[in-house]
């Protein structure tokens, strides 16, 4: 049996790929004017409408800018950096003029399992601190904090009163943040999470998985669960 043939690549895709390659390799620098549509028609041997379609799609992708009466130019590709602000939830709530209360569920010293040890760059079975807290804003639960902490970077951690100070604040004191990784995803509340956050089991939660690093050592890994109807995650970007 003859295998089915692959769909033929559209001429506009060839044009887009060629222009992308020239930009990526530095042949066409930001701000440089591209050949005119007529010149591209001659270069690729295709209809002017095909060239027009390819340029329009590249403009939509942000790779080029098309200026009326002037032509097409390589876009100024400004570097975008994500400013990840890892803040104390107490400060966030206080800034809104609201009252923050912490409900302590557990504060324990335990041996790191396989996953936690890998995330914290420790040997399996190493001692870690584990805290589970519920943060309330004006009496309403908005975050379930499930955090593992590296004891070497948080002396005196277990002796702190977490109804008066947050784990984040303690870590900021002893292990200044130099790096952070964060993943955000939607999850479904299990029975225990639902009770802690005062929502129905099966409700949608926003989970933020965060790893913080201080001077090359992992200070903590945390999973922060928020009721989907009570929390917004706002990112700040700078150009």
């Amino acid at each position: 049996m003859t295998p089915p043939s692959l769909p033929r690549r559209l001429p506009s895709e060839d044009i887009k790929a060629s222009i992308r390659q020239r930009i990526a390799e530095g042949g066409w620098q930001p701000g440089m004017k591209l050949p005119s549509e007529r010149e591209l028609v001659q270069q690729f041997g295709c209809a002017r409408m095909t060239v027009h379609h390819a340029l329009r799609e590249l403009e939509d992708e942000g790779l080029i800018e098309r200026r009326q009466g002037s032509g097409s130019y390589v876009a100024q590709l400004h570097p975008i950096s994500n400013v990840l602000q890892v803040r104390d939830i107490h400060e966030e709530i206080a800034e809104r003029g609201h009252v923050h209360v912490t409900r302590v569920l557990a504060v324990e010293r335990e041996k790191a399992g396989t996953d936690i040890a890998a995330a914290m760059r420790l040997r399996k079975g190493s001692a870690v601190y584990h805290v589970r807290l519920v943060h309330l804003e004006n009496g309403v639960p908005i975050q379930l904090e499930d955090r593992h902490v590296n004891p070497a970077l948080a002396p005196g951690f277990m002796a702190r009163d977490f109804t008066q100070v947050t784990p984040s604040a303690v870590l900021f004191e002893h292990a200044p943040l130099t790096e952070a990784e964060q993943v955000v995803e939607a999850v479904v509340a299990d029975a225990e999470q639902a009770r802690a956050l005062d929502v129905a089991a099966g409700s949608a939660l926003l989970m933020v998985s965060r790893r913080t690093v201080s001077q090359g050592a992992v200070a903590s890994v945390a999973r922060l669960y928020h009721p989907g109807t009570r929390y917004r995650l706002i990112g700040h970007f700078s150009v």
Side-chain angles (χ1 to χ4, degrees), residues 38-109:
R38 178 176 297 179
E39 290 171 324
L40 290 173
V41 165
Q42 295 175 347
Q43 178 180 338
F44 289 99
C46 60
R48 186 163 184 170
M49 183 60 69
T50 303
V51 170
H52 181 82
H53 180 73
L55 294 177
R56 186 176 62 196
E57 290 192 349
L58 287 170
E59 181 182 31
D60 291 341
E61 294 172 13
L63 284 179
I64 68 171
E65 299 172 354
R66 306 184 71 197
R67 303 173 190 171
Q68 185 68 33
S70 178
S72 299
Y73 296 79
V74 179
Q76 296 288 345
L77 303 178
H78 302 290
I80 304 296
S81 60
N82 182 358
V83 181
L84 175 60
Q85 293 184 317
V86 179
R87 302 187 61 202
D88 184 350
I89 192 170
H90 173 79
E91 293 181 356
E92 292 185 28
I93 293 173
E95 282 184 4
R96 293 193 282 269
H98 295 170
V99 177
H100 170 235
V101 172
T102 302
R103 183 186 300 155
V104 179
L105 302 182
V107 179
E108 303 167 321
R109 182 186 179 97

Side-chain angles (χ1 to χ4, degrees), residues 148-185:
H148 288 82
V149 175
N150 185 342
L153 276 69
F157 184 86
M158 296 289 283
R160 302 300 289 265
D161 181 356
F162 292 115
T163 65
Q164 301 300 313
V165 63
T166 65
S168 293
V170 175
L171 287 167
F172 291 156
E173 289 176 11
H174 298 285
L177 181 68
T178 56
E179 182 184 342
E181 300 170 6
Q182 181 165 281
V183 176
V184 182
E185 57 189 306

Side-chain angles (χ1 to χ4, degrees), residues 89-90 92-93 96 98-101 133-145 196-198 205-206 224-232:
I89 192 170
H90 173 79
E92 292 185 28
I93 293 173
R96 293 193 282 269
H98 295 170
V99 177
H100 170 235
V101 172
L133 315 167
V134 178
H135 298 284
L136 298 87
E137 182 171 355
N138 288 351
V140 178
I142 64 163
Q143 184 187 94
L144 170 61
E145 176 177 356
L197 292 168
D198 193 21
L205 302 179
L206 181 67
L224 311 172
Y225 300 90
H226 313 83
T229 57
R230 300 179 197 155
Y231 196 82
R232 292 185 303 163

